[in-house]
Short mmCIF file of all heavy atoms in Angstrom, two decimals:
data_model
loop_
_atom_site.label_atom_id
_atom_site.label_comp_id
_atom_site.label_asym_id
_atom_site.label_seq_id
_atom_site.Cartn_x
_atom_site.Cartn_y
_atom_site.Cartn_z
N THR I 340 -2.22 -23.91 -12.08
CA THR I 340 -3.41 -24.76 -12.10
C THR I 340 -3.30 -25.81 -13.19
O THR I 340 -3.59 -27.00 -13.00
CB THR I 340 -4.69 -23.93 -12.33
OG1 THR I 340 -4.81 -23.00 -11.23
CG2 THR I 340 -5.94 -24.76 -12.37
N ARG I 341 -2.79 -25.40 -14.37
CA ARG I 341 -2.65 -26.35 -15.50
C ARG I 341 -1.64 -27.43 -15.13
O ARG I 341 -1.92 -28.62 -15.38
CB ARG I 341 -2.20 -25.61 -16.74
CG ARG I 341 -2.25 -26.47 -18.04
CD ARG I 341 -1.85 -25.71 -19.27
NE ARG I 341 -2.64 -24.49 -19.50
CZ ARG I 341 -2.26 -23.27 -19.24
NH1 ARG I 341 -1.03 -23.04 -18.77
NH2 ARG I 341 -3.02 -22.23 -19.48
N SER I 343 -1.02 -28.55 -12.15
CA SER I 343 -1.68 -29.42 -11.21
C SER I 343 -2.63 -30.38 -11.89
O SER I 343 -2.76 -31.55 -11.50
CB SER I 343 -2.45 -28.54 -10.22
OG SER I 343 -3.24 -29.38 -9.34
N CYS I 360 2.15 -16.52 -8.13
CA CYS I 360 0.73 -16.76 -8.33
C CYS I 360 -0.19 -15.99 -7.40
O CYS I 360 -1.36 -16.19 -7.34
CB CYS I 360 0.43 -18.23 -8.14
SG CYS I 360 1.27 -19.25 -9.35
N ASN I 363 -0.06 -9.97 -5.10
CA ASN I 363 0.87 -8.92 -4.59
C ASN I 363 2.33 -9.33 -4.93
O ASN I 363 3.27 -8.73 -4.36
CB ASN I 363 0.72 -8.72 -3.07
CG ASN I 363 1.01 -9.94 -2.29
OD1 ASN I 363 1.19 -11.04 -2.79
ND2 ASN I 363 1.15 -9.78 -0.95
N ASN I 379 3.37 -1.38 2.05
CA ASN I 379 3.48 -1.99 0.69
C ASN I 379 2.10 -2.55 0.36
O ASN I 379 1.58 -3.42 1.04
CB ASN I 379 4.52 -3.12 0.79
CG ASN I 379 4.75 -3.76 -0.55
OD1 ASN I 379 3.94 -4.60 -1.04
ND2 ASN I 379 5.86 -3.47 -1.18
N THR I 381 -1.04 -3.46 -2.71
CA THR I 381 -1.46 -3.76 -4.07
C THR I 381 -2.95 -3.43 -4.18
O THR I 381 -3.73 -3.97 -3.41
CB THR I 381 -1.17 -5.26 -4.39
OG1 THR I 381 0.24 -5.47 -4.28
CG2 THR I 381 -1.62 -5.62 -5.77
N ARG I 397 -1.82 8.82 -1.31
CA ARG I 397 -1.98 10.12 -0.69
C ARG I 397 -2.35 9.99 0.78
O ARG I 397 -1.82 10.68 1.67
CB ARG I 397 -3.14 10.93 -1.43
CG ARG I 397 -3.42 12.29 -0.84
CD ARG I 397 -4.68 12.87 -1.40
NE ARG I 397 -5.87 12.10 -1.10
CZ ARG I 397 -6.53 12.07 0.02
NH1 ARG I 397 -6.15 12.85 1.02
NH2 ARG I 397 -7.55 11.30 0.20
N ARG I 398 -3.23 9.03 1.09
CA ARG I 398 -3.63 8.82 2.51
C ARG I 398 -2.46 8.36 3.35
O ARG I 398 -2.32 8.70 4.54
CB ARG I 398 -4.78 7.83 2.63
CG ARG I 398 -6.11 8.42 2.36
CD ARG I 398 -7.29 7.65 2.98
NE ARG I 398 -8.49 8.29 2.47
CZ ARG I 398 -9.34 7.68 1.62
NH1 ARG I 398 -9.11 6.43 1.27
NH2 ARG I 398 -10.38 8.32 1.17
N HIS I 426 -12.23 -13.29 -24.25
CA HIS I 426 -13.50 -13.87 -23.88
C HIS I 426 -14.30 -12.89 -23.03
O HIS I 426 -15.57 -12.87 -23.13
CB HIS I 426 -13.27 -15.15 -23.06
CG HIS I 426 -12.78 -16.30 -23.91
ND1 HIS I 426 -13.50 -16.80 -24.93
CD2 HIS I 426 -11.63 -17.03 -23.91
CE1 HIS I 426 -12.89 -17.79 -25.54
NE2 HIS I 426 -11.71 -17.94 -24.90
N SER I 466 -14.74 9.48 -7.34
CA SER I 466 -15.10 8.17 -7.88
C SER I 466 -16.63 7.93 -7.72
O SER I 466 -17.25 8.51 -6.83
CB SER I 466 -14.32 7.06 -7.14
OG SER I 466 -14.63 7.13 -5.75
N VAL I 468 -19.80 4.78 -8.84
CA VAL I 468 -20.21 3.56 -9.54
C VAL I 468 -21.49 3.86 -10.31
O VAL I 468 -22.45 4.43 -9.74
CB VAL I 468 -20.38 2.35 -8.59
CG1 VAL I 468 -21.06 1.21 -9.33
CG2 VAL I 468 -19.05 1.92 -8.05
N ASP I 573 -17.41 -2.65 -15.28
CA ASP I 573 -18.18 -3.03 -14.07
C ASP I 573 -18.87 -1.79 -13.51
O ASP I 573 -19.49 -1.92 -12.43
CB ASP I 573 -17.26 -3.72 -13.04
CG ASP I 573 -16.33 -2.77 -12.30
OD1 ASP I 573 -16.31 -1.54 -12.64
OD2 ASP I 573 -15.60 -3.23 -11.39
N ASP W 337 -9.34 -21.11 -12.35
CA ASP W 337 -9.14 -22.56 -12.32
C ASP W 337 -10.10 -23.25 -13.31
O ASP W 337 -9.74 -24.14 -14.04
CB ASP W 337 -9.45 -23.15 -10.91
CG ASP W 337 -8.31 -22.92 -9.90
OD1 ASP W 337 -7.24 -22.44 -10.33
OD2 ASP W 337 -8.53 -23.20 -8.72
N GLU W 343 -9.99 -24.99 -20.92
CA GLU W 343 -8.94 -24.89 -21.95
C GLU W 343 -8.29 -26.25 -22.20
O GLU W 343 -8.03 -26.61 -23.39
CB GLU W 343 -7.84 -23.87 -21.42
CG GLU W 343 -6.73 -23.66 -22.44
CD GLU W 343 -5.46 -23.23 -21.79
OE1 GLU W 343 -5.30 -23.32 -20.54
OE2 GLU W 343 -4.56 -22.77 -22.48
N PRO W 348 -8.05 -22.99 -25.89
CA PRO W 348 -8.34 -21.68 -25.30
C PRO W 348 -9.65 -21.05 -25.85
O PRO W 348 -10.28 -20.27 -25.15
CB PRO W 348 -7.14 -20.82 -25.65
CG PRO W 348 -6.46 -21.56 -26.77
CD PRO W 348 -6.75 -23.02 -26.62
N HIS W 370 -23.14 -2.31 -6.48
CA HIS W 370 -24.34 -2.62 -7.28
C HIS W 370 -25.43 -3.24 -6.46
O HIS W 370 -26.60 -2.90 -6.62
CB HIS W 370 -23.93 -3.56 -8.43
CG HIS W 370 -23.16 -2.85 -9.50
ND1 HIS W 370 -23.73 -1.96 -10.38
CD2 HIS W 370 -21.84 -2.89 -9.85
CE1 HIS W 370 -22.80 -1.44 -11.22
NE2 HIS W 370 -21.63 -2.02 -10.91
N SER W 375 -23.86 4.74 -5.37
CA SER W 375 -23.06 5.30 -6.50
C SER W 375 -21.94 6.18 -5.98
O SER W 375 -20.86 6.21 -6.56
CB SER W 375 -24.01 6.21 -7.38
OG SER W 375 -23.27 6.72 -8.49
N VAL W 377 -19.33 6.32 -4.18
CA VAL W 377 -18.43 5.42 -3.41
C VAL W 377 -16.99 5.52 -3.92
O VAL W 377 -16.76 5.74 -5.10
CB VAL W 377 -18.87 3.99 -3.46
CG1 VAL W 377 -20.06 3.73 -2.62
CG2 VAL W 377 -19.10 3.49 -4.87
N ALA W 383 -5.24 -6.17 -2.69
CA ALA W 383 -4.81 -7.53 -3.04
C ALA W 383 -3.46 -7.82 -2.36
O ALA W 383 -2.50 -8.15 -3.00
CB ALA W 383 -4.71 -7.63 -4.52
N TYR W 391 -5.59 -4.69 6.09
CA TYR W 391 -5.30 -3.52 5.20
C TYR W 391 -6.60 -2.72 4.95
O TYR W 391 -6.60 -1.53 5.02
CB TYR W 391 -4.71 -3.99 3.90
CG TYR W 391 -3.22 -4.03 3.79
CD1 TYR W 391 -2.51 -5.13 4.30
CD2 TYR W 391 -2.49 -3.04 3.15
CE1 TYR W 391 -1.14 -5.21 4.18
CE2 TYR W 391 -1.13 -3.12 2.97
CZ TYR W 391 -0.41 -4.21 3.51
OH TYR W 391 0.92 -4.30 3.36
N ASP W 398 -8.60 5.22 8.26
CA ASP W 398 -8.00 6.50 7.88
C ASP W 398 -9.00 7.39 7.10
O ASP W 398 -9.10 8.57 7.37
CB ASP W 398 -6.75 6.29 7.00
CG ASP W 398 -5.51 5.93 7.80
OD1 ASP W 398 -5.54 6.21 8.99
OD2 ASP W 398 -4.57 5.41 7.19
N GLU W 404 -13.04 11.78 5.08
CA GLU W 404 -13.13 11.59 3.64
C GLU W 404 -14.18 10.57 3.26
O GLU W 404 -14.46 10.33 2.09
CB GLU W 404 -11.76 11.22 3.07
CG GLU W 404 -10.76 12.37 3.22
CD GLU W 404 -9.39 12.02 2.73
OE1 GLU W 404 -9.14 10.87 2.26
OE2 GLU W 404 -8.51 12.88 2.86
N ARG W 418 -8.23 -24.50 -6.36
CA ARG W 418 -7.15 -25.46 -6.60
C ARG W 418 -5.79 -24.79 -6.59
O ARG W 418 -4.82 -25.34 -6.02
CB ARG W 418 -7.38 -26.11 -7.95
CG ARG W 418 -6.17 -27.00 -8.43
CD ARG W 418 -6.44 -27.66 -9.77
NE ARG W 418 -7.38 -28.73 -9.69
CZ ARG W 418 -7.06 -30.00 -9.38
NH1 ARG W 418 -5.79 -30.34 -9.11
NH2 ARG W 418 -7.96 -30.93 -9.34
N LYS W 419 -5.71 -23.63 -7.18
CA LYS W 419 -4.39 -22.97 -7.35
C LYS W 419 -3.76 -22.75 -5.91
O LYS W 419 -2.61 -23.09 -5.70
CB LYS W 419 -4.56 -21.57 -7.97
CG LYS W 419 -3.31 -20.81 -8.21
CD LYS W 419 -3.49 -19.34 -8.14
CE LYS W 419 -3.56 -18.88 -6.71
NZ LYS W 419 -3.64 -17.47 -6.47
N PHE W 611 2.24 -13.43 2.30
CA PHE W 611 3.25 -13.52 1.23
C PHE W 611 3.57 -12.10 0.76
O PHE W 611 2.72 -11.22 0.80
CB PHE W 611 2.68 -14.30 0.02
CG PHE W 611 2.65 -15.82 0.24
CD1 PHE W 611 2.97 -16.39 1.44
CD2 PHE W 611 2.33 -16.64 -0.85
CE1 PHE W 611 2.93 -17.76 1.64
CE2 PHE W 611 2.29 -18.01 -0.72
CZ PHE W 611 2.61 -18.57 0.51
#
Side-chain angles (χ1 to χ4, degrees):
Chain I
T340 299
R341 191 179 303 103
S343 173
C360 296
N363 64 349
N379 183 284
T381 298
R397 179 191 61 81
R398 280 201 187 113
H426 288 299
S466 57
V468 168
D573 73 358
Chain W
D337 283 351
E343 183 204 14
H370 287 288
S375 182
V377 287
Y391 267 79
D398 281 340
E404 295 176 0
R418 171 180 287 274
K419 183 211 79 176
F611 282 8

